Amino acid sequence: MKITKEARMHLETAELLIRGIQQSIKINDSEPGTPPPEHSIESIKRRCIQARQELLQLEHGVSPY
């Protein structure tokens, strides 16, 4: 299987987005009150959408040959 350099970058970006999402969820679960904008529910949703887009780009960059 071959993975292009560009596809690897999409994978790394998706991983970073997912780590950020996990951090935001932990902050939302542990701190009462309104979270800062970078940890808001809307921010988490936007990062989920972006991570999904990055994974779709990765899918297109992976070749079985």
Side-chain angles (χ1 to χ4, degrees):
M1 171 173 71
K2 290 212 175 199
I3 299 176
T4 65
K5 189 176 191 179
E6 188 175 292
R8 284 190 193 281
M9 288 176 50
H10 287 296
L11 176 60
E12 290 173 11
T13 302
E15 288 173 334
L16 290 171
L17 285 162
I18 291 168
R19 280 192 220 131
I21 292 165
Q22 290 172 326
Q23 180 183 18
S24 290
I25 289 171
K26 285 179 187 174
I27 288 171
N28 278 314
D29 286 345
S30 65
E31 295 180 12
T34 304
E38 64 271 16
H39 298 296
S40 70
I41 299 301
E42 288 304 314
S43 176
I44 292 170
K45 288 179 182 181
R46 283 191 302 272
R47 285 181 279 160
C48 287
I49 291 167
Q50 184 60 41
R52 181 177 58 198
Q53 292 291 25
E54 294 294 334
L55 291 171
L56 286 171
Q57 291 297 318
L58 171 63
E59 180 184 0
H60 296 304
V62 175
S63 170
Y65 307 105

